Amino acid sequence: MSESALPADPLALFAGWFADVHAFGLPEPNAMVLATASADGVPSARTVLLKGYGPQGFRFFTNLTSRKGRDLAENPRAALVFPWHAMHRQVRVAGPVEELSRDESAAYFRTRPHGSRLGAWASERQSGVIPGREVLERRFAELAERWPEEPPDAPAPLEGSIPLPDFWGGYRLVPESIEFWQGRRDRLHDRIRYRRGTLDEQGEWVMERLSP
């Protein structure tokens, strides 16, 4: 990874690496580890799916009352890791997190498979203790009866078929730093970090090489 050959915009490099992951055939190429912390600094991490990225940030969706949702309400900052180990690559992203509008969340929710939309409703108490799996299965069956699956020839899920739960939505992590890690022999790995510049640096992305 030669600095002179890398783009000035880290999102352009991310797009190239993301395309490489898809071409490689890596399972769940959009899987990423999301790390959050509570107001008193207790960390928590889990795997979620990237559902879009661009100049405004990296998007994901979840239950707003879950552990991660509560953490982000108290401490709206997070970190992401894309663990593309089979390619000897990883990408780390960190920055503040903002909640998406209800319109944005509803638009994405309508694209989810019927079962996934029912599952979002069934797991209303995500991260909460439940007596057993039968509670989920019974709730899912009740919801499936209430909102039966659309005909297979339907052009798209109907907006009113399964409404967006008020406890479910999306987030956008706005990157302040993006690090690209490329494995190399003898542990002399390439680590290139882009960080948002200071006011003195006009807020442009600053590229830096880190020691492995």
Side-chain angles (χ1 to χ4, degrees), residues 26-45:
L26 195 69
E28 300 283 12
N30 60 330
M32 60 186 185
V33 177
L34 167 68
T36 59
S38 62
D40 53 356
V42 178
S44 181

Side-chain angles (χ1 to χ4, degrees), residues 102-121:
R102 298 303 289 168
D103 286 344
E104 289 178 276
S105 294
Y108 168 72
F109 189 74
R110 290 195 295 270
T111 70
R112 289 166 63 87
H114 182 262
S116 295
R117 284 178 282 149
L118 291 178
W121 276 96

